[in-house]
Amino acid sequence: MRRDRVLVVEDEDAIRELVAFHLEEAGHHVLHATDGEQAIAVARTEDLQLVVLDLMLPKMDGVAVLRELRRMGRVPVIMLTARTEEADRVRGLELGADDYMGKPFSPRELVARVKAVLRRTEPPVDSLQAGGVLLDLTAHRCFVGDREVSLTLTEFGLLQALMERPGQVLTRELLLEKVWGYDFYGDARTVDVHVRHLREKVEEEPSQPRLVETVRGVGYRFASA
Ligand code: CA
């Protein structure tokens, strides 16, 4: 999996390195900038998923950098600042910062905020594709090879749950939860019935399923090959 590239803009080396260390620990790839102009230069040439931006910077302050970043595109920004005035906070948010942290801050808290912002801003998955099956999540359509297959909402939900984790076994209980919801009071055999219907539609040979496999005593798995 590709690591998120996070640019940390801060002139105080100790703080920048501390933040970078914790973000690297959390699995992100970190790029550094020590002033505002450098931050813009990096943002112009690198594909970034997030920017952690200090407000007090040499050459170009954080607000000016943020304004320029917004002119360039929609990269998420978390602002850092030693100033606690409400006015600065409001100014940052007005300019489109996605979140804001006052110094001193806990690096763990910052890492949690970075994760939250990335989750919020990541583009939604609009289709799943595996084993010759294409699931169009936006249009709610299913294609097996060139053939379009008409699925009920439940069958679609089942197939989606399985295709989101190809090669992984999902128990009937987990499938019930994911497809029917936590408060559904149903029998695990409900899942078997719908899997049977699903197979009749998507499998070439429903009695010898190649896509939705049974894992005896455990549940079902979407073939990863
Ligand atoms: Ca600073």
Side-chain angles (χ1 to χ4, degrees):
M1 209 177 107
R2 188 170 170 284
R3 291 196 299 163
D4 292 307
R5 297 163 69 80
V6 178
L7 172 63
V8 179
V9 191
E10 164 66 281
D11 56 316
E12 286 169 70
D13 295 343
I15 296 177
R16 193 186 61 254
E17 273 156 25
L18 182 71
V19 167
F21 173 79
H22 283 270
L23 288 172
E24 294 269 4
E25 283 269 278
H28 305 289
H29 177 79
V30 177
L31 295 93
H32 296 244
T34 53
D35 65 56
E37 286 174 6
Q38 200 185 356
I40 296 299
V42 173
R44 278 193 211 289
T45 53
E46 300 281 346
D47 176 29
L48 301 171
Q49 275 70 54
L50 189 133
V51 178
V52 175
L53 178 62
D54 189 39
L55 185 62
M56 300 289 278
L57 292 169
K59 295 186 185 171
M60 216 178 147
D61 76 2
V63 169
V65 173
L66 178 58
R67 195 177 292 125
E68 188 56 30
L69 287 174
R70 282 291 160 267
R71 253 200 292 268
M72 290 161 54
R74 249 316 302 169
V75 65
V77 174
I78 297 179
M79 296 280 285
L80 302 178
T81 183
R83 299 191 213 164
T84 50
E85 287 96 339
E86 189 69 7
D88 289 316
R89 185 183 148 77
V90 169
R91 201 151 60 111
L93 292 174
E94 268 175 3
L95 280 170
D98 295 85
D99 205 349
Y100 201 91
M101 287 198 81
K103 287 178 180 173
F105 57 88
S106 124
R108 276 166 195 267
E109 164 91 25
L110 177 64
V111 169
R113 301 260 190 120
V114 164
K115 286 214 181 306
V117 169
L118 284 173
R119 209 166 32 237
R120 235 174 31 227
T121 53
E122 82 187 4
V125 176
D126 55 10
S127 71
L128 295 169
Q129 203 165 359
V133 178
L134 170 70
L135 218 49
D136 182 336
L137 303 179
T138 319
H140 246 258
R141 298 171 78 181
C142 172
F143 298 87
V144 180
D146 300 332
R147 174 171 66 100
E148 179 163 11
V149 175
S150 163
L151 301 179
T152 64
L153 274 180
T154 302
E155 291 157 2
F156 194 94
L158 263 176
L159 190 54
Q160 179 179 348
L162 290 162
M163 285 183 69
E164 278 169 352
R165 294 171 183 73
Q168 192 181 319
V169 187
L170 278 78
T171 63
R172 291 173 174 80
E173 290 71 26
L174 183 63
L175 286 167
L176 273 176
E177 240 177 63
K178 289 183 75 72
V179 180
W180 282 266
Y182 286 94
D183 46 6
F184 177 77
Y185 183 76
D187 198 286
R189 275 172 301 183
T190 308
V191 177
D192 300 339
V193 171
H194 289 274
V195 165
R196 200 167 65 232
H197 293 157
L198 176 62
R199 279 175 174 158
E200 281 161 10
K201 294 180 180 178
V202 300
E203 299 284 356
E204 240 169 79
E205 191 51 72
S207 61
Q208 287 167 310
R210 184 182 66 81
L211 299 169
V212 181
E213 303 172 330
T214 302
V215 180
R216 217 166 279 285
V218 189
Y220 295 100
R221 167 174 65 202
F222 192 84
S224 54

